[in-house]
Amino acid sequence: MQVKNPDENPTKQPAAIATVGTFDGVHRGHRLVIDTMLERARMLDAMPLVFTFDHHPLCLIAPERAPGRLMKSEEEVETLRSLGVEVRVLHFDERLRSMKAAEWLSALRQKHNVKWLVMGFDNTFGSDGIDFSLADYMRVGEECGVDITVADRLPGVSSSIIRRQLREGKLREANEGLGRPFTLSGTVVTGKALGRRIGFPTANLRPDEGRLVPAKGVYAADASLGDNILLPAIVNIGNRPTVSDAGDVSIEAHIIGWEGNIYGRELTLHFIERLRDEKHFGSLEELIGAIRMDRAAALSILTPDSEEKQDCRYHPL
């Protein structure tokens, strides 16, 4: 591929420093890369740019291996922008997939006036990039007029690790990696109304398509109906073995203190702590007793008695 003169700037855009990747979850590792970019942007008087994708590349490359998302694409973009960067969402298609690293860097330089690029420790791009070393990227970057640096690594934090922790029920570790509670959004749909009959009405959540669902079990969570008000809730994820043999997994939230019809509304659950595994009880009376204990445990976690504890819930680090 012939690389254009890197000093040309046909778009007349301001000089930019950028990072490219899949920022699902915008976790602490991602934020370390972005903080590095922002620090350099201030030093260089450059515009900080984040390039992300409208869907995970594996959705195109190997759909059967595409992971459940930690957040919706719209949430990812909103969260990134809140960090003080400009976000540009790229449509990941066959054309983008086939581009070589030199083509990527040349396009960033020519179309967006990117003069500096910050990479994460495991960041790769370009159809040939999987075989590249950092020295290879730096060499190609120099040819294209893009200076490349690598941000420090945050050990033990990555989107894949956080997904595994959530699937294994390790909510506390996942929230630490995210730097905030894991959230799951969706629409409230009609259920069997058993919870209402036993005195604990539940909202049945149909999660947004492609979202990761945590391990089966009972959780303490904050519930939001889109009005910026958080209400304490108990969330059960599982098969409801005491009352059903259907085998289908449901997500049911008992919102403590809430009364009213919420069918069809958007519900967001902020998972604060995992209380216990899902369990089969011998009778409805045993189930009701367990729910009462879950409710008491959730309230002790979700309604702390001091402002310091309240703050720590949302900033676990």
Side-chain angles (χ1 to χ4, degrees):
M1 185 196 83
Q2 182 179 4
V3 179
K4 296 181 180 180
N5 181 354
D7 293 326
E8 294 178 2
N9 181 18
T11 63
K12 304 302 180 184
Q13 297 187 71
I17 181 170
T19 186
V20 180
T22 303
F23 294 88
D24 187 24
V26 194
H27 53 64
R28 291 171 60 221
H30 293 144
R31 294 201 292 278
L32 180 59
V33 173
I34 292 170
D35 286 346
T36 302
M37 182 181 68
L38 287 170
E39 183 178 355
R40 293 207 70 203
R42 287 189 289 269
M43 294 171 54
L44 299 165
D45 192 24
M47 178 173 64
L49 277 177
V50 171
F51 291 90
T52 186
F53 307 111
D54 57 353
H55 55 261
H56 196 286
L58 281 176
C59 292
L60 176 68
I61 299 169
E64 70 283 356
R65 293 194 290 116
R69 289 191 64 98
L70 296 171
M71 58 171 46
K72 293 190 297 184
S73 179
E74 297 87 348
E75 293 173 323
E76 177 188 316
V77 171
E78 181 180 344
T79 303
L80 287 168
R81 285 179 175 154
S82 73
L83 300 176
V85 301
E86 176 72 22
V87 182
R88 297 184 183 172
V89 181
L90 305 175
H91 176 55
F92 193 86
D93 55 14
E94 286 291 350
R95 181 192 64 81
L96 212 61
R97 175 187 179 183
S98 64
M99 287 176 63
K100 295 184 181 299
E103 293 175 297
W104 264 96
L105 291 167
S106 181
L108 291 177
R109 184 69 173 87
Q110 296 300 317
K111 295 181 180 179
H112 305 281
N113 200 23
V114 172
K115 293 186 176 181
W116 304 274
L117 185 73
V118 177
M119 296 178 62
F121 78 95
D122 61 348
N123 193 197
T124 62
F125 55 86
S127 58
D128 53 349
I130 192 170
D131 298 319
F132 269 30
S133 66
L134 176 59
D136 292 324
Y137 278 114
M138 288 182 166
R139 172 182 52 78
V140 175
E142 185 176 0
E143 293 172 359
C144 298
V146 180
D147 180 66
I148 295 177
T149 58
V150 178
D152 290 336
R153 177 182 183 181
L154 190 61
V157 177
S158 71
S159 296
S160 58
I161 289 174
I162 292 170
R163 292 187 191 103
R164 185 179 71 244
Q165 289 167 338
L166 289 168
R167 289 193 299 266
E168 293 175 352
K170 298 176 180 177
L171 179 66
R172 185 168 298 178
E173 291 90 336
N175 284 351
E176 288 178 353
L178 287 167
R180 63 184 179 280
F182 171 74
T183 63
L184 186 63
S185 301
T187 305
V188 178
V189 297
T190 304
K192 296 183 179 179
L194 175 65
R196 183 173 300 278
R197 292 199 297 271
I198 64 174
F200 295 95
T202 60
N204 291 268
L205 184 73
R206 182 176 63 203
D208 299 314
E209 186 176 359
R211 288 298 308 278
L212 181 141
V213 176
K216 295 177 184 178
V218 179
Y219 296 82
D222 281 322
S224 170
L225 291 166
D227 48 12
N228 295 321
I229 296 175
L230 297 179
L231 297 170
I234 313 164
V235 180
N236 184 85
I237 300 176
N239 308 108
R240 299 174 298 177
T242 304
V243 298
S244 174
D245 57 3
D248 54 327
V249 174
S250 64
I251 305 169
E252 297 180 298
H254 169 58
I255 304 175
I256 301 170
W258 171 263
E259 294 182 2
N261 184 356
I262 58 174
Y263 293 132
R265 291 183 63 175
E266 180 82 2
L267 173 65
T268 299
L269 300 173
H270 306 255
F271 287 77
I272 306 301
E273 191 163 318
R274 191 170 190 268
L275 300 177
R276 61 175 174 84
D277 291 337
E278 187 178 41
K279 182 180 178 181
H280 179 274
F281 296 96
S283 66
L284 281 179
E285 287 73 20
E286 289 184 26
L287 173 61
I288 292 170
I291 295 174
R292 286 175 178 156
M293 293 179 65
D294 294 336
R295 184 181 187 276
L299 284 173
S300 70
I301 295 166
L302 300 171
T303 55
D305 56 6
S306 74
E307 186 175 335
E308 180 183 358
K309 289 182 180 179
Q310 180 79 20
D311 184 65
C312 287
R313 259 181 50 215
Y314 293 96
H315 303 281
L317 303 180

